[in-house]
Amino acid sequence: MPTVAARPRLRVGIVKMASCDGCQLTLLDLEDELLPLAERFEIVEFPEASSVRSAGPYDVLLVEGSISTPDQATEIVELRKQAKRLVTIGACANHGGIQALRNWSDHDAFRAAVYAHPEYVASLAQSVPVSELVTVDAELNGCPISPDQLRELLVSVSVGRRPQIREESVCLACKRRSVVCVMVSQGIPCLGPVTQSGCGALCPRFGRGCYGCYGPKEQANAVSLARAFAWTGRQDAEVARLFAGFTGWSGTFRSVAAAYGGPPGVIPYAVPAEPKGGPDDARD
Amino acid sequence: MVASEPPISGQPASLAAQAFRPGETGGSQLGADWFLARPNLGVLIDALRADGRTVVGPRVVDGAITYAEIESADDLPIGVGDEQAPGHYRLVERGDRRAFDYTVGPLSPKRWTFPSPLSLNVGTRDGRDVTFERVATETPRLAFIGVRACELAALGIHDRVMLGGPYTDEDYRTRRQGALVIAVNCSTSSSTCFCTSMGTGPAARGGYDLALTELDEGFVVRIGSPAGADLLARLPVRAADGDQRASAAEAVAAVAKRIGDPVPSAGLHDRLMAQFDSPQWAKIAERCLSCANCTMVCPTCFCNTVIQQSALDGSTSTSERIWDSCFTAGFARVAGGNFRSRPRDRYRQWLTHKFATWVDQFGSFGCVGCGRCITWCPVGIDVRAELLAIAPPLTPGREPAAPRPVAAAPGWYVSGRVVSVRQETSDVTTLTVGDVDDAFLAGQPGQFAMLDLPSFPQLPISISRFGRDTVDFTIRAAGPATAALTALGPRDEVGLRGPLGTSWPIERAMGHDVVIVTGGIGLAPLRPLIDSLVAQRDQFDAIRLYYGARTPSDQLYQEELRGWGARGDIDVQLTVDRADDAWTGPVGVVTHLFDRATWDGSRSVAFVCGPERMMEATVDALEARDLAPDRIFVTLERHMQCGIGLCGHCQIGRLFVCRDGPVFALAQLGDIFGREGI
């Protein structure tokens, strides 16, 4: 059997939809590992870093950003056909991103308020995760994604195994680092208990509550956490705002935000309800 | 069947002291008491550091008293204490000179004896060959200072788990063998403590090198090992005198008494193992976040996993051990499925391991009663309450009211001794009174007692809690007699007569929703009712508590209010007449708290206590919600003197409030209730 290094290089593409480019740049943050990376991977499409373009096919296609325009909705379907493995990266691609705040409001009213000629602006009424349109093989969470997890994903593809990405809560990361719980000791509302780890508990380490940018952890009991926030004196609007952040359009967080009246400042219309049922009803 | 009450403490006494350090010196001093003056505490820490030890002790870090490396006595939390309740921790500035007047924080010695991450090895693949190289980690020579009895017990458990079986953890052995342990006996406790139930504290019974008990002027020091004796020989100590030894013993005994026995552990193993199908598991899962905080802060949880980081070319991979938790989804997952797919399964796994199957495996409970899992649960799940709900003690609750004691007759005062005093608000104080007549302990929620402080008028005071062998009285200093009562301190005596009067008919509420509406100090006679409701939580449907106070700082029992609310199965709603800057809750009368609520009054039983005007408004609001008068219970306040219906002071209509009340069904009062001038 040939060693892994002797195999042909894998073709990697990195593309973006509606997003800020921060997740793509995480690849460049791998710095010291870029050269070994180039031995295993041929980066054929990465407009952020190189003018060399390729239409595919790709062994691995990393997709950043949410689907926010009709063009993107068409493009992602075409890209899927070109990709052996499609991996979405970041809160936008996985959960709709912060731009999904518009999903709570009447889209036409927003457009009319902002643009002189709203008819020139082609955008979908909702910013949605890539997985609503095409099959996704793996997701890397975060806003932005973690370099370690990106690295692990690439290694797993290279070695030919499943990525080992822990799906537990941020709390474990806090406790392993001896971070004192900001919620219990200071009453700061923190989404850490219901949010998937990966960030190394970045915000709690600096005395902030978790913003949930990695999205709901497995079987996240956001209902119970929201109740605890309300109990510690948070008003409904604040609870809704907390859950309606970077990953607020994910099913679990969305239903809690809705139950507490939705994020502040929306131009209301009917928000589609999530199916009822707590995390304990669904089997893993 | 296994031993249900395994001896948990004491046994490792000497894993640290004897097995690891079979030194010969100083053995004759084992168990002797010495006195270290307060200014010389620094000498102790300097001596440890002079030996090249890393000294780990209590330190204020990011809003908590936790363990950290300390360099001098100045790093200790001098004058700082803590307030703990389910899901709640706050520092409290006391401003005195005491260094150890706090209860355990989020970290335990586990952080150092069983670190996470721990580098294990680097594996290399070269062609067909693989090689593994152990990563040598530096293990510091540790000295722990401030270790509590519950933590000593936890270390003992880890010793058995990691060193007592056929396979041992060598990293743990190295760290543990080299560590010196300076224990501190607890002279304070938190609402979350239950070491007494688990048989581990509050007094250190072994497993230490030195044990300190803090007094105002210094420390009584007991030697627990030859290494401790060696260390002590280098400190400026003198033999402790009788007063010092007595003060130290009293301080620790008072803590034991205060904690009581919240989770009777007799037969717990079998009781719990019989409840695998309890409906309570699913109820817990409605609140449980499966966030794993309980297991991370637990000083005995040792579950761990190995994570690997591979090089991009797959040629090498580095392994590390990190703490894992049975609450994570991946913990019991195998290819094709997950053995514990639901959070309820994981909670059951954890609880039954700690309190039952651990006994089968290691001969003791896996819980030491430190209360960390209660404090650091973000939603305040209280393991004690869950144990009581799932596996209630074999003789649950109190016996029905005892025959009326003869001691009720006027003149038959017996003395009880104040055990502790708690300032609830600026003018309200709770006295916890011990050495009381057995009749008191058989009393029922809602009953009251006559209190007699010679030379002051005798006063009727409702009983605000039944401890295992104490009763609480919560008193507002409204006049000279109440002021004298609230000025009592620990060890002062007070005359008691009772318990007297009727009690809240808890049995009427079983199988129904419970609504409790109260204002101000009216919460006091309701607290033992709430204690009872909590102890048999599954006997009732929804429980709603509506409490109004003049201002936020006039709320009684704030920690407990928080704890009840954090349980998730009691709807606690608070309001104040006047807000302060920090108050974000509602302002207004208590009935506004349920003006717009949707609950069904016809399914409810209501318990109401407060100023009469407030009760009238409440009764109107409850009746408007279809609560029948025989399901609304109120307490009346009158001038009660004899307490047994013989002096006439409290008569209203056909009733004596003292004997026929103070708890009445509204139906029983008829048109007496709310009528002016009766």
Side-chain angles (χ1 to χ4, degrees), chain B residues 46-387:
Chain B
D46 293 345
L48 295 169
R49 284 172 56 80
D51 290 344
R53 292 185 178 276
T54 299
V55 182
V56 173
R59 189 167 188 165
V60 174
V61 179
D62 293 339
I65 299 169
T66 186
Y67 280 115
E69 195 173 327
I70 58 169
E71 294 177 359
S72 76
D74 293 340
D75 292 335
L76 297 171
I78 293 162
V80 184
D82 56 327
E83 168 192 290
Q84 299 192 37
H88 177 84
Y89 183 105
R90 291 292 184 280
L91 289 177
V92 177
E93 292 283 346
R94 277 192 322 274
D96 58 23
R97 294 295 303 157
R98 294 172 74 95
F100 298 103
D101 237 358
Y102 62 87
T103 49
V104 293
L107 292 184
S108 66
K110 170 172 112 170
R111 168 86 267 171
W112 285 266
T113 53
F114 190 68
S116 173
L118 177 73
S119 295
L120 298 179
N121 66 29
V122 179
T124 306
R125 182 175 176 190
D126 184 8
R128 291 175 182 280
D129 299 336
V130 292
T131 51
F132 296 94
E133 189 182 344
R134 296 262 300 276
V135 176
T137 51
E138 198 179 333
T139 46
R141 284 184 77 218
L142 294 164
F144 294 104
I145 183 164
V147 178
R148 303 306 170 99
C150 55
E151 297 176 317
L152 295 172
L155 283 167
I157 288 173
H158 267 191
D159 291 344
R160 279 198 298 284
V161 170
M162 288 188 254
L163 304 177
Y167 299 98
T168 56
D169 182 317
E170 290 308 304
D171 181 76
Y172 178 83
R173 185 193 299 281
T174 311
R175 289 168 190 274
R176 185 77 172 90
Q177 264 179 346
L180 201 75
V181 178
I182 316 281
V184 167
N185 288 313
C186 286
S187 50
T188 186
S189 65
S190 278
S191 73
T192 47
C193 291
F194 61 110
C195 59
T196 44
S197 288
M198 304 317 296
T200 63
R205 283 176 237 162
Y208 56 81
D209 295 291
L210 292 178
L212 315 180
T213 308
E214 185 165 28
L215 307 177
D216 284 339
E217 66 273 24
F219 305 87
V220 172
V221 187
R222 183 165 290 187
I223 298 168
S225 78
D230 288 347
L231 176 62
L232 196 77
R234 295 155 59 195
L235 303 179
V237 292
R238 58 176 191 268
D241 64 33
D243 282 352
Q244 289 163 339
R245 286 206 305 272
S247 298
E250 270 174 39
V252 182
V255 169
K257 201 161 189 179
R258 196 157 58 232
I259 298 173
D261 185 13
V263 193
S265 60
L268 184 54
H269 172 282
D270 290 3
R271 284 187 272 133
L272 198 53
M273 293 303 274
Q275 296 299 332
F276 264 56
D277 298 317
S278 166
Q280 187 69 15
W281 303 116
K283 287 187 188 169
I284 299 166
E286 289 171 13
R287 286 179 288 147
C288 177
L289 305 173
S290 61
C291 63
N293 275 304
C294 47
T295 55
M296 293 289 110
V297 294
C298 176
T300 72
C301 273
F302 60 89
C303 286
N304 62 87
T305 190
V306 172
I307 55 166
Q308 292 173 307
Q309 195 176 63
S310 321
L312 278 165
D313 63 1
S315 61
T316 62
S317 113
T318 308
S319 297
E320 284 184 337
R321 183 188 74 186
I322 59 170
W323 291 348
D324 201 356
S325 169
C326 53
F327 278 93
T328 63
F331 198 78
R333 185 186 291 143
V334 296
N338 189 338
F339 288 109
R340 288 192 289 273
S341 60
R342 301 171 300 178
R344 76 180 71 163
D345 306 327
R346 299 176 210 159
Y347 194 91
R348 184 176 65 186
Q349 158 64 22
W350 178 67
L351 199 76
T352 54
H353 192 209
K354 286 286 165 194
F355 294 96
T357 49
W358 200 297
V359 177
D360 303 332
Q361 291 178 306
F362 303 111
S364 76
F365 291 122
C367 170
V368 297
C370 69
R372 284 184 176 89
C373 60
I374 304 171
T375 296
W376 299 97
C377 173
V379 296
I381 295 175
D382 187 333
V383 69
R384 299 167 300 184
E386 300 308 333
L387 282 169

Side-chain angles (χ1 to χ4, degrees), chain A residues 1 3-5 33 36-37 40-41 148 151-152 154-155 158-159 161 164 166-169 171-172 175-178 180-181 183-187 193-194 205 217-222 224-225 227-228 231-235 279-284, chain B residues 61-64 87-90 107 111 116 125 127-128 285-293 296-297 305 307-314 322-325 328-330 333 338 341-344 346 375-379 561-562 565-566 572 584:
Chain A
M1 154 190 168
T3 63
V4 279
E33 314 219 51
L37 199 66
R40 284 298 298 133
F41 300 98
D148 288 346
R151 187 184 176 291
E152 166 60 17
L154 293 171
V155 168
S158 163
V159 174
R161 60 166 168 78
Q164 296 179 1
R166 296 183 67 80
E167 53 189 354
E168 65 206 19
S169 74
C171 301
L172 284 106
K175 291 296 185 287
R176 291 190 194 113
R177 289 172 181 266
S178 304
V180 177
C181 178
M183 185 164 163
V184 170
S185 73
Q186 297 175 58
V194 295
R205 268 158 60 204
K217 79 172 191 82
E218 45 78 30
Q219 288 164 299
N221 190 349
S224 176
L225 186 65
R227 212 161 38 206
W231 169 249
T232 53
R234 306 288 152 186
Q235 304 294 318
D280 196 46
D281 296 324
R283 285 177 182 268
D284 174 50
Chain B
V61 179
D62 293 339
H88 177 84
Y89 183 105
R90 291 292 184 280
L107 292 184
R111 168 86 267 171
S116 173
R125 182 175 176 190
R128 291 175 182 280
E286 289 171 13
R287 286 179 288 147
C288 177
L289 305 173
S290 61
C291 63
N293 275 304
M296 293 289 110
V297 294
T305 190
I307 55 166
Q308 292 173 307
Q309 195 176 63
S310 321
L312 278 165
D313 63 1
I322 59 170
W323 291 348
D324 201 356
S325 169
T328 63
R333 185 186 291 143
N338 189 338
S341 60
R342 301 171 300 178
R344 76 180 71 163
R346 299 176 210 159
T375 296
W376 299 97
C377 173
V379 296
L561 286 168
R562 227 177 268 123
V572 179
T584 58

Side-chain angles (χ1 to χ4, degrees), chain B residues 418 421 429 431 451-457 459 475-489 492-494:
Chain B
V418 175
V421 177
T429 301
L431 303 178
L451 268 58
D452 185 347
L453 203 54
S455 86
F456 287 96
L459 295 175
I475 304 164
R476 166 169 286 147
T482 45
L485 285 170
T486 56
L488 293 178
D492 289 339
E493 286 193 327
V494 61

